[in-house]
C-alpha cells in the first residue's frame, strides 16, 4: 500500500470515528438526563411542593416510557432515513428537557419526562444501529462501545456536572444543560452524519415479531438478568457505602467516580473484545467474571479501600459486557437488528425496575449486606439463559454430519442443498 493510500485510509478512519463520537455525545446527554434527576429531587420537590415519593415518580415515568416506547417507536419509524430520524429525535429530546426546565407544575413536569423518555429510547437504538452501519464490520464492536461510552461518561461526569449546575443556580438550569447538549449533537449530526436508509418492506406487526427470532427471547432474558445483577446492588449503593463501608459524603463522591471511570474503560475494552472474539463466548466470559466480582464485593465493601478497588473493577467488568450484547443482537437479528436493539433497551429498563424491587425486599428484610451475593446469583442465571440460547443455535448432530458429507453430483453438477 502506497503512503498516499495509507494516509487516505487513516484520514477516513478518523472521520468515521469522529462521527461515532458525535453519536456518543447524544448518549452522554441521555445518560445525564437519566441519572441527573435523583440528585435534583430535593430541590425540585421543594419548589413544586411535592413529597419525596411524588418527585421520585419523575424518574419512574421516564424509565417506564423508555421501556415501552423503545420497540414501538423503532418499529413505527423503521422506514425513515436514519439521519433524518436522529435529527428529529434530538430536537424532540431537547424540547422535552426545555419543557422540564420551565415546568410550572407537576403535571407539565411529568409530561415533559414522557416526551424526553420516548425520544431518548428511540435515539439510543437508532444511534447504535447507525454507528454499526457507517463503520467497517471489523470495527463494529468498537463503534458500539464508543456510542455507549457516552452513557458511561454520564455516570462519571454528566451527573456531577448537572448537580453542580443545580447547586449553583437551579435544578431548572440542569435540564437546560441537557437540552443544550442535545441541540449541539443535532447540529453536529446535521453536518457530519451521512444519510442512512431505513428498512422498508415490513409492517409494525412483523417488526415487533422480531422477538420471535430464534435466540432473541433468551437474548432479551440474558440482558434483563445481567442488568438485575448489577442494579440490585447499584440502586442501594449509596446506603451500602454509608452503612457497610463507613464512607463519608466526600468518600462516596470519589468512590462513585471510580465506578464511572471503570465503566468507561470497560465499555471501550468490551468493544475491542467484540471485534476479536465470538460475541457469545466473550459475553459468557465477562458475565462469569462479573458474578465473581459481585460475590467478592460482599467482603470488599467492608472498608473504603476495598470498596474503591471493588467499584472500579465492577464498573469495568459490567460495562465490558454491553458491546458484546449489542454485537450479538445485530448478528442474531439480521435485517431486524435495529428492532432487537430497541427491544434490548426495554429489557434493560425492565431489569432496572426489577432490581429496585428485589433490592427493596432485601433492604426491608434487613439483608442489605447480602445484596452483592444476590447480584452474583442473577449473573449466574444470566449465564444459564445465555447457555440455553447457544444450545438452541447449535446444529443438531444429524444436520452437522449432513453438512460435512459431500453433496451428490448429477449431470448438471452439485445439488443445491438450499432448496
Amino acid at each position: 500500500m502506497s503512503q498516499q493510500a495509507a494516509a487516505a485510509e487513516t484520514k477516513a478512519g478518523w472521520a468515521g470515528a469522529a462521527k461515532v463520537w458525535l453519536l456518543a455525545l447524544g448518549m452522554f446527554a441521555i445518560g445525564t438526563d437519566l441519572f441527573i434527576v435523583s440528585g435534583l429531587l430535593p430541590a425540585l420537590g421543594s419548589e413544586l411542593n411535592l413529597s419525596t415519593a411524588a418527585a421520585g415518580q419523575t424518574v419512574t415515568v421516564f424509565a417506564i416510557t423508555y421501556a415501552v416506547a423503545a420497540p414501538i417507536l423503532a418499529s413505527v419509524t423503521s422506514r425513515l432515513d436514519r439521519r433524518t430520524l436522529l435529527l428529529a429525535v434530538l430536537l424532540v429530546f431537547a424540547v422535552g428537557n426545555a419543557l422540564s426546565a420551565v415546568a410550572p407544575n407537576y403535571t407539565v413536569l411529568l409530561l415533559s419526562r414522557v416526551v424526553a423518555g420516548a425520544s431518548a429510547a428511540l435515539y439510543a437504538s437508532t444511534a447504535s444501529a447507525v454507528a454499526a452501519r457507517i463503520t467497517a464490520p471489523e470495527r463494529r464492536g468498537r463503534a458500539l462501545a464508543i456510542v455507549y461510552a457516552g452513557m458511561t461518561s454520564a455516570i462519571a461526569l454528566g451527573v456531577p456536572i448537572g448537580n453542580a449546575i443545580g447547586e449553583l443556580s437551579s435544578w431548572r438550569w440542569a435540564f437546560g444543560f441537557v437540552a443544550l447538549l442535545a441541540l449541539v449533537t443535532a447540529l453536529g449530526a446535521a453536518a457530519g452524519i451521512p444519510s442512512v436508509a431505513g428498512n422498508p418492506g415490513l409492517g409494525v406487526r412483523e417488526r415487533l415479531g422480531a422477538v420471535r427470532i430464534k435466540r432473541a427471547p433468551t437474548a432479551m432474558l440474558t440482558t434483563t438478568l445481567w442488568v438485575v445483577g448489577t442494579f440490585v446492588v447499584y440502586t442501594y449503593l449509596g446506603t451500602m457505602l454509608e452503612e457497610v463501608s463507613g464512607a463519608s459524603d466526600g468518600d462516596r463522591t470519589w468512590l462513585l467516580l471510580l465506578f464511572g471511570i471503570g465503566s468507561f474503560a470497560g465499555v471501550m475494552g468490551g468493544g475491542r473484545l467484540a471485534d476479536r472474539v465470538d460475541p457469545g463466548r466473550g459475553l459468557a466470559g465477562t458475565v462469569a467474571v462479573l458474578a465473581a466480582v459481585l460475590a467478592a464485593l460482599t467482603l470488599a465493601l467492608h472498608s473504603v479501600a476495598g470498596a474503591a478497588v471493588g467499584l472500579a473493577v465492577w464498573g469495568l467488568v459490567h460495562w465490558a459486557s454491553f458491546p458484546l450484547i449489542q454485537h450479538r443482537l445485530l448478528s442474531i437479528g439480521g435485517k431486524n437488528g435495529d428492532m432487537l436493539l430497541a427491544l434490548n433497551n426495554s429489557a434493560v429498563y425492565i431489569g432496572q425496575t426489577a432490581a429496585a424491587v428485589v433490592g427493596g425486599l432485601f433492604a426491608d428484610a434487613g439483608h442489605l449486606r447480602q445484596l452483592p451475593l444476590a447480584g452474583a446469583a442473577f449473573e449466574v442465571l444470566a449465564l444459564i439463559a445465555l447457555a440455553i440460547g447457544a444450545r438452541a443455535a447449535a446444529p443438531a448432530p444429524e444436520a452437522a454430519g449432513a453438512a460435512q458429507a459431500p453433496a451428490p453430483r448429477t449431470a448438471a453438477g452439485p445439488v443445491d442443498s438450499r432448496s
Side-chain angles (χ1 to χ4, degrees), residues 33 37 40 44 97 100-101 113 171-179:
D33 195 31
V37 179
L40 301 174
L44 183 153
N97 277 278
S100 295
R113 304 320 293 155
W171 61 270
R172 297 182 183 275
W173 283 105
F175 286 117
F177 169 67
V178 174

Side-chain angles (χ1 to χ4, degrees), residues 13-376:
W14 279 108
K19 294 171 184 175
V20 177
W21 277 108
L22 181 63
L23 296 171
L25 179 60
M27 288 301 296
F28 178 77
I30 288 173
T32 302
D33 195 31
L34 171 62
F35 295 112
I36 200 175
V37 179
S38 58
L40 301 174
L41 287 182
L44 183 153
S46 177
E47 183 172 331
L48 296 180
N49 297 316
L50 301 174
S51 67
T52 301
Q57 294 310 306
T58 58
V59 179
T60 305
V61 165
F62 185 98
I64 291 175
T65 302
Y66 195 117
V68 173
I72 296 174
L73 291 179
S75 180
V76 170
T77 60
S78 61
R79 297 169 182 259
L80 296 179
D81 178 87
R82 304 289 93 181
R83 176 178 176 273
T84 301
L85 180 59
L86 280 175
L87 293 175
V89 167
L90 284 167
L91 291 176
V92 173
F93 181 69
V95 168
N97 277 278
L99 190 58
S100 295
V102 301
N105 55 53
Y106 187 47
T107 301
V108 174
L109 181 61
L110 288 180
L111 176 62
S112 71
R113 304 320 293 155
V114 170
V115 173
S119 51
L122 188 53
Y123 179 86
S125 59
T126 305
S128 297
V130 168
R133 292 172 67 180
I134 64 176
T135 306
E138 65 273 13
R139 297 180 64 88
R140 179 177 291 174
R142 273 168 280 187
L144 292 169
I146 288 172
V147 171
Y148 270 84
M151 179 71 79
T152 58
S153 298
I155 299 173
L157 299 175
V159 175
I161 291 172
N163 285 340
I165 292 173
E167 290 176 7
L168 291 173
S169 54
S170 165
W171 61 270
R172 297 182 183 275
W173 283 105
F175 286 117
F177 169 67
V178 174
L180 178 62
L181 284 177
L183 290 176
V184 170
T185 306
L187 289 174
I193 301 297
S195 176
V196 178
N199 294 315
L202 293 177
V204 173
R205 179 177 297 179
E206 289 82 1
R207 289 196 179 278
L208 288 175
V211 74
R212 295 193 297 270
I213 293 174
K214 191 175 184 179
R215 290 191 289 162
T218 55
M220 297 298 110
L221 180 59
T222 299
T223 295
T224 300
L225 293 169
W226 168 75
V227 169
V228 173
T230 275
F231 277 88
V232 74
V233 184
Y234 188 80
T235 303
Y236 296 89
L237 183 59
T239 304
M240 292 183 69
L241 289 175
E242 180 180 356
E243 296 185 6
V244 181
S245 307
S248 65
D249 289 344
D251 289 335
R252 287 198 298 273
T253 299
W254 65 263
L255 286 171
L256 291 173
L257 178 62
L258 281 176
F259 180 86
I261 293 171
S263 299
F264 182 86
V267 77
M268 298 302 292
R272 290 185 174 274
L273 185 63
D275 288 330
R276 298 182 180 211
V277 302
D278 174 73
R281 293 182 179 179
L283 181 59
T286 58
V287 174
V289 174
L290 179 58
V293 170
L294 285 168
L297 277 180
T298 305
L299 297 177
L301 288 177
H302 280 81
S303 70
V304 173
V309 176
L311 264 61
V313 176
W314 175 24
L316 187 150
V317 177
H318 171 81
W319 281 99
S321 302
F322 202 65
L324 292 160
I325 288 173
Q326 292 195 304
H327 206 301
R328 182 168 177 261
L329 288 173
L330 288 172
S331 300
I332 292 173
K335 64 182 179 181
N336 279 319
D338 296 17
M339 194 68 233
L340 288 190
L341 289 179
L343 288 166
N344 192 62
N345 286 335
S346 296
V348 167
Y349 275 85
I350 291 170
Q352 289 183 357
T353 302
V357 173
V358 173
L361 293 174
F362 271 74
D364 290 342
H367 298 307
L368 200 65
R369 295 168 185 262
Q370 278 69 54
L371 281 179
L373 287 178

